[in-house]
Amino acid sequence: MKIFWIFRAAMAAELDVVNLFFIAGATLAIPILAFLASFLLWPSVLIKVYYWYWRRTLGLQVHYADCGGYRFCYSYRGKPGMRPSILMLHGFSAHKDMWLTVVKYLPKHLHIVCVDMPGHEGTTRTNTEDYSVQGQVRRIHQFVGSIHLNRKAFHLVGTSMGGNVAGVYAACYPSEICSMTLICPDGIRHPCETKFDNHLQDLEHSNFTLNIPLIPTTPDEMEDMFKLCSHVRFKIPQQILQGLVDVREPHNAFYEEVFMEIIGEKSRYALHEHLHLITSPLQVIWGKQDQVVDVSGATVIAELVPGCRVDLLDNCGHSVVMEKPCRTAKLILEFIILQQTARSGTKKSS
């Protein structure tokens, strides 16, 4: 009888171990299955979760600034300190999270602000008056005032369309800017044509009936856009390409409006027309293999803005932020420190 009870207890213990392994396996299987389902069925959801995760990991908080019925969405990290605050302006059809790759390599004590440009992502969408370069400058100035970023001169960073806006902003509000970095900025009359310039000519000849390369509607077109914008060839799964298309598709009509505004007569060369008014120290970063805005634009800027620092990146296209994030962050930080040191030396000598 005693042996029976010992045997029964042993069997019960074995069953408990089996149940424990079963529960543990099920617990692990649920998130794995959820991930696979998201990847295969709802890749757009997975992309949003990815951005949320990286913002959280990097310590960025998302906030909103309301200005007379107009709302800006922005993320930030840190507080104003010894170094100037950094305001980052993204490019056409992108959003504030495009800067995550660069923020990753910037010191955590820096005060960094990444804002959704007018009409993009979480910022209010109104009308075409706000989408021209001059209109975006007015709105960004409104945003800067609403969060009191201009209490102290700040460093302004802009890429592509955001570079065009940043340059015009610095020309219009010079006292607010202590220094500036333009990354492959749009808005320059560059002497050499690019692959995108050829696309643009074809679009104009067709009276804009052809698809705009920067507004993809299928996974294949999304892949073509990556090839156009990046020299580095990223291997992106078809499901992720589909997810990116799904995320952007509801906004394509808006992107078309913005595109027509920024290539219009008032905006296309806005930066070029304002270069002579830029007085703050200027850094230009450009990918040598840029197929959207030709790298010869860097020479044009350097000739028109005295003392401009130019950093050209090998094996890099238009998507500098995505292709060379660590190098970009290092160059920006070096330039900020250099300018701050120069200002300190000037004050001591005077």
Side-chain angles (χ1 to χ4, degrees), residues 72 74 86-92 94-99 112-118 133 136-137 139-141 143-144 149 154-170 177 180-183 185 321:
F72 295 94
Y74 66 101
I86 302 174
L87 174 61
M88 307 181 114
L89 308 182
H90 64 74
F92 169 73
H95 47 75
K96 60 187 176 297
D97 292 328
M98 72 159 285
W99 293 108
I112 299 169
V113 179
C114 308
V115 64
D116 284 328
M117 297 294 279
V133 168
Q136 292 191 60
V137 168
R139 284 299 187 185
I140 294 301
H141 186 243
F143 167 71
V144 166
L149 190 64
F154 59 90
H155 182 81
L156 184 58
V157 181
T159 184
S160 196
M161 178 192 77
N164 195 348
V165 174
V168 176
Y169 189 103
I177 309 299
M180 178 171 58
T181 300
L182 302 182
I183 304 172
V321 171

Side-chain angles (χ1 to χ4, degrees), residues 60-266:
L60 285 158
Q61 299 182 49
V62 175
H63 275 230
Y64 293 89
D66 292 305
C67 311
Y70 194 91
R71 171 173 278 197
F72 295 94
C73 180
Y74 66 101
S75 59
Y76 77 95
R77 186 175 77 182
K79 295 180 179 179
M82 294 292 291
R83 302 286 184 209
S85 298
I86 302 174
L87 174 61
M88 307 181 114
L89 308 182
H90 64 74
F92 169 73
S93 78
H95 47 75
K96 60 187 176 297
D97 292 328
M98 72 159 285
W99 293 108
L100 292 174
T101 52
V102 173
V103 172
K104 177 183 177 181
Y105 295 104
L106 290 171
K108 289 189 175 180
H109 66 269
L110 287 179
H111 181 222
I112 299 169
V113 179
C114 308
V115 64
D116 284 328
M117 297 294 279
H120 289 72
E121 195 73 7
T123 294
T124 300
R125 193 167 291 177
T126 51
N127 54 57
T128 53
E129 289 180 9
D130 286 335
Y131 307 148
S132 68
V133 168
Q134 291 82 354
Q136 292 191 60
V137 168
R138 286 192 295 270
R139 284 299 187 185
I140 294 301
H141 186 243
Q142 185 181 21
F143 167 71
V144 166
S146 71
I147 65 169
H148 309 296
L149 190 64
N150 52 359
R151 284 177 176 172
K152 181 181 175 184
F154 59 90
H155 182 81
L156 184 58
V157 181
T159 184
S160 196
M161 178 192 77
N164 195 348
V165 174
V168 176
Y169 189 103
C172 294
Y173 306 103
S175 63
E176 297 186 0
I177 309 299
C178 64
S179 51
M180 178 171 58
T181 300
L182 302 182
I183 304 172
C184 303
D186 191 15
I188 295 294
R189 290 187 178 91
H190 45 82
C192 303
E193 287 190 348
T194 63
K195 190 174 180 180
F196 178 72
D197 290 325
N198 295 330
H199 280 302
L200 193 55
Q201 289 170 14
D202 291 340
L203 278 169
E204 290 170 337
H205 292 152
S206 72
N207 199 24
F208 294 94
T209 56
L210 296 174
N211 286 345
I212 299 170
L214 300 181
I215 308 178
T217 57
T218 67
D220 287 341
E221 289 180 2
M222 178 64 71
E223 191 170 27
D224 288 341
M225 186 183 80
F226 277 116
K227 289 178 181 178
L228 176 67
C229 295
S230 305
H231 177 70
V232 176
R233 291 292 175 256
F234 297 98
K235 293 182 179 179
I236 304 173
Q238 194 73 7
Q239 288 86 352
I240 296 299
L241 289 171
Q242 183 62 60
L244 291 169
V245 170
D246 292 343
V247 167
R248 294 167 58 98
E249 196 276 331
H251 311 289
N252 281 351
F254 160 71
Y255 294 149
E256 288 178 14
E257 281 187 73
V258 177
F259 183 80
M260 296 306 293
E261 281 296 313
I262 62 177
I263 67 164
E265 188 178 348
K266 291 191 300 181

Side-chain angles (χ1 to χ4, degrees), residues 255-312:
Y255 294 149
E256 288 178 14
E257 281 187 73
V258 177
F259 183 80
M260 296 306 293
E261 281 296 313
I262 62 177
I263 67 164
E265 188 178 348
K266 291 191 300 181
S267 298
R268 184 176 290 194
Y269 302 118
L271 174 57
H272 198 121
E273 291 160 2
H274 285 80
L275 284 175
H276 68 286
L277 298 173
I278 294 176
T279 55
S280 59
L282 173 61
Q283 174 188 43
V284 173
I285 302 174
W286 219 302
K288 287 184 179 180
Q289 285 75 36
D290 194 334
Q291 297 184 91
V292 179
V293 186
D294 193 74
V295 66
S296 59
T299 303
V300 174
I301 296 174
E303 289 174 351
L304 294 173
V305 181
C308 173
R309 168 175 166 170
V310 176
D311 293 295
L312 303 183

